[in-house]
Amino acid sequence: MTLMLEEIIGAVSGKLTEDQKRRGVLIHAFQKIQEEHNYLPEEELHKLAGELNVPLSYIYSTATFYKQFYFTPRGRKIVRVCTGTACHVRGAGKVMEQLTAEFGVKDGETTEDLAMTLETVGCIGCCGLAPVATVNEDIVGEIDGKKMPGMIQMIKE
Ligand code: FES
């Protein structure tokens, strides 16, 4: 028997508690706000609390539960350096040092002009290309002294 989408939603929805439904709405709202601002600005969360008539503390406790939401402005380019074992062994630390020297930010920081946020990440599954980093959606592999200028250029574009 094949269920129609409405039936599935109805069946699932009937099993959700009011709190789960409210959280679902909030997560969707957070995603929309973050899409627009690149993070969750305080004033937007205040506005949301007012519109949904829920305490601001509930808004924050829900948002902080999920690692995908940010509370400070993020860079236009998100640079994630893999620090998994293979990348660590093959020079991820040096990659971080060079990016820190070039952009003046450490792990978890964003440049003042909001051009770039530097982060570390666990293995992203490209160990054969270690050391690896991502610049937004693009993967840069086998980062060495020769590749670094190109990567820096890519971040600045
Ligand atoms: S350890 Fe870096 S991609 Fe796997």
Side-chain angles (χ1 to χ4, degrees), residues 45-69:
L45 296 182
H46 275 270
K47 206 159 61 175
L48 188 62
E51 283 167 0
L52 298 178
N53 196 26
V54 293
L56 189 59
S57 59
Y58 184 83
I59 297 269
Y60 271 100
S61 73
T62 305
T64 53
F65 183 79
Y66 300 95
K67 220 180 159 205
Q68 63 178 295
F69 299 119

Side-chain angles (χ1 to χ4, degrees), residues 23-83:
R23 278 179 181 264
V25 169
L26 278 180
I27 289 164
H28 187 68
F30 296 155
Q31 286 167 339
K32 286 281 175 206
I33 294 169
Q34 192 158 281
E35 246 175 58
E36 189 180 335
H37 299 275
N38 226 4
Y39 77 111
L40 300 178
E42 199 179 328
E43 58 275 16
E44 291 293 330
L45 296 182
H46 275 270
K47 206 159 61 175
L48 188 62
E51 283 167 0
L52 298 178
N53 196 26
V54 293
L56 189 59
S57 59
Y58 184 83
I59 297 269
Y60 271 100
S61 73
T62 305
T64 53
F65 183 79
Y66 300 95
K67 220 180 159 205
Q68 63 178 295
F69 299 119
Y70 301 96
F71 301 91
T72 52
R74 312 250 305 145
R76 291 180 291 282
K77 294 280 173 69
I78 307 295
V79 180
R80 294 189 170 106
V81 176
C82 176
T83 54

Side-chain angles (χ1 to χ4, degrees), residues 82-88 121-132:
C82 176
T83 54
T85 306
C87 290
H88 172 74
V121 68
C123 178
I124 59 169
C126 309
C127 309
L129 298 175
V132 174

Side-chain angles (χ1 to χ4, degrees), residues 8-25:
I8 296 169
I9 292 170
V12 171
S13 173
K15 291 187 170 107
L16 296 177
T17 64
E18 283 308 308
D19 187 58
Q20 286 169 325
K21 287 179 193 168
R22 200 171 2 175
R23 278 179 181 264
V25 169

Side-chain angles (χ1 to χ4, degrees), residues 108-136:
E109 294 179 348
T110 299
T111 57
E112 275 182 27
D113 63 359
L114 301 182
M116 176 264 221
T117 296
L118 179 62
E119 297 177 341
T120 53
V121 68
C123 178
I124 59 169
C126 309
C127 309
L129 298 175
V132 174
T134 57
V135 178
N136 288 351

